[in-house]
Amino acid sequence: MRVALRAARAGGALAVAVTLAATPSGPAEARTDPPASAAARVVPTPSAGPPAVIALPDGFRPEGIAIGPGPYAFFGSTADGSVYRADLRTGRGALLSRGPGTPALGMKTDGYGRLFVAGGRGGDARVLDTRTGRTLASYRLADGPAFVNDVVLTGDAAVFTDSTNPVLYRLPLRGGRLPAAPVRIPITGDLTYGDGFNANGIAPTPDGRALLVVQSSTGDLFRVDADGRSRRVDLHGESLPNGDGLLLRGSTLYAVENGARNGDSALTVLRLNPSGTDGRVLRRVRDDRFDTPTTVAAYGARLYLPNARFVSAPAPTPSTPYDAVAVRAPVAVPAGQEGGADASSVMPR
């Protein structure tokens, strides 16, 4: 079955989770580790523009992020499900919505001013008004143990992953209207569940006909059709260890490797074929400011990642500080073109 899956847009920017940070300085140079087959250069740029680090409330424990409409980022708390809104131009922000006591994980915004929130172990999803924080709808996705982890907006639906149960949850959005109930789509095929976190980050394929899902416990990436049939993406011997949030821009996929198990956090850049069945790792970006980043989102030429601090602060307190960091979207320079100036190689932090 063919389905049209188009990345939702809000305010002219991709409606995806975004993180930012609050220091007055602009981006600086980040470290990149290209595979032997890729020649990548990193060129620093002067400090300028929006803040490169956004301070979040102490004890907030961020995980997901979304952006838009306009230059506003939304951060979800794993502590109690609260949502914090920050102005990307200044880094200043305030609490938008107090949580229900269960987590707020993956998040996305749409052009109607709505924020879709994955509820983690709460087994639910919420839709909030991005202006007032009011809850527009709540959905019970699972009755038993669950971990509703991430969400993607397509042209006509919001689709959520569950790291505990092999199922996708779909909220049809016909004409933009919120549905009365979710649709459960069992996952079949190559993606089989085992111990640990399974289906996590989710994004559309470049041709918009299916979805991409990363399995955190194995580092494998899968293409999942509308009926739930999954196929392992050929990464040519590579994997995405501790794979978490995903972001697609054109044929480039950005995957967060959060480093929760090995302490090695990275933003991995892949190039995909149109159908999303084949991908090649171009480079891995590492940054001294990464502190178990979990999700990634875009605003303009920047990518934003919230630091969950699972490794550096495994027992957080109400006074534990948190932040989100901004980097410029990295693109590897193809082998043989490394001699000339290429703006796409610029990756300040």
Side-chain angles (χ1 to χ4, degrees):
M1 176 187 300
R2 169 177 174 148
V3 306
L5 301 176
R6 300 182 300 275
R9 291 185 175 267
L14 278 175
V16 284
V18 176
T19 34
L20 213 23
T23 57
S25 62
E29 185 179 357
R31 303 192 311 278
T32 62
D33 298 315
S37 60
R41 290 183 298 104
V42 178
V43 181
T45 59
S47 295
V53 178
I54 291 185
L56 301 176
D58 288 348
F60 189 72
R61 295 166 57 187
E63 205 276 351
I65 175 184
I67 189 171
Y72 299 99
F74 302 86
F75 302 89
S77 168
T78 64
D80 65 358
S82 293
V83 174
Y84 182 84
R85 179 173 59 189
D87 189 324
L88 302 182
R89 299 165 297 185
T90 65
R92 293 191 292 269
L95 199 67
L96 175 71
S97 171
R98 293 198 176 276
T102 53
L105 301 184
M107 309 163 67
K108 295 291 185 295
T109 57
D110 71 4
Y112 295 93
R114 300 180 300 203
L115 178 69
F116 294 76
V117 182
R121 66 179 181 276
D124 63 343
R126 290 178 289 147
V127 184
L128 306 179
D129 187 307
T130 59
R131 294 153 296 202
T132 66
R134 182 171 65 92
T135 300
L136 302 176
S138 295
Y139 298 93
R140 171 57 49 191
L141 302 181
D143 294 324
F147 200 88
V148 181
N149 208 332
D150 206 354
V151 58
V152 66
L153 297 182
T154 71
D156 59 359
V159 184
F160 296 80
T161 59
D162 187 332
S163 297
T164 299
N165 304 295
V167 63
L168 297 177
Y169 307 104
R170 187 175 189 272
L171 299 181
L173 302 174
R174 296 183 181 89
R177 296 184 299 274
L178 295 173
V183 177
R184 291 171 56 93
I185 305 172
I187 297 174
T188 60
D190 291 347
L191 176 49
T192 58
Y193 276 41
D195 294 336
F197 282 89
N198 291 281
N200 193 337
I202 185 170
T205 56
D207 64 8
R209 298 183 180 184
L211 296 169
L212 297 166
V213 173
V214 65
Q215 187 174 25
S216 296
S217 57
T218 65
D220 290 331
L221 184 67
F222 298 88
R223 181 187 191 274
V224 183
D225 292 327
D227 60 1
R229 287 180 296 179
S230 64
R231 170 182 175 181
R232 185 176 284 101
V233 177
D234 185 0
L235 297 183
H236 301 274
E238 285 276 4
S239 66
L240 304 172
N242 305 303
D244 206 327
L246 301 178
L247 169 66
L248 182 76
R249 302 188 95 184
S251 62
T252 300
L253 181 70
Y254 299 101
V256 179
E257 297 177 11
N258 64 39
R261 293 198 302 270
N262 59 13
D264 184 18
S265 300
L267 178 64
T268 300
V269 186
L270 304 94
R271 182 172 295 135
L272 301 174
N273 67 346
S275 63
T277 59
D278 186 277
R280 292 187 180 273
V281 172
L282 302 180
R283 66 196 280 189
R284 282 182 167 87
V285 175
R286 291 177 171 87
D287 190 297
D288 292 340
R289 299 168 304 153
F290 288 172
D291 196 350
T292 322
T294 46
T295 49
V296 58
Y299 185 73
R302 288 185 167 198
L303 304 182
Y304 301 91
L305 301 89
N307 283 317
R309 304 196 62 192
F310 294 148
V311 175
S312 66
T317 70
S319 61
T320 301
Y322 289 95
D323 63 20
V325 298
V327 298
R328 194 165 300 277
V331 177
V333 179
Q337 297 182 14
E338 55 273 25
D342 184 344
S344 67
S345 68
V346 173
M347 220 317 276
R349 79 174 198 215

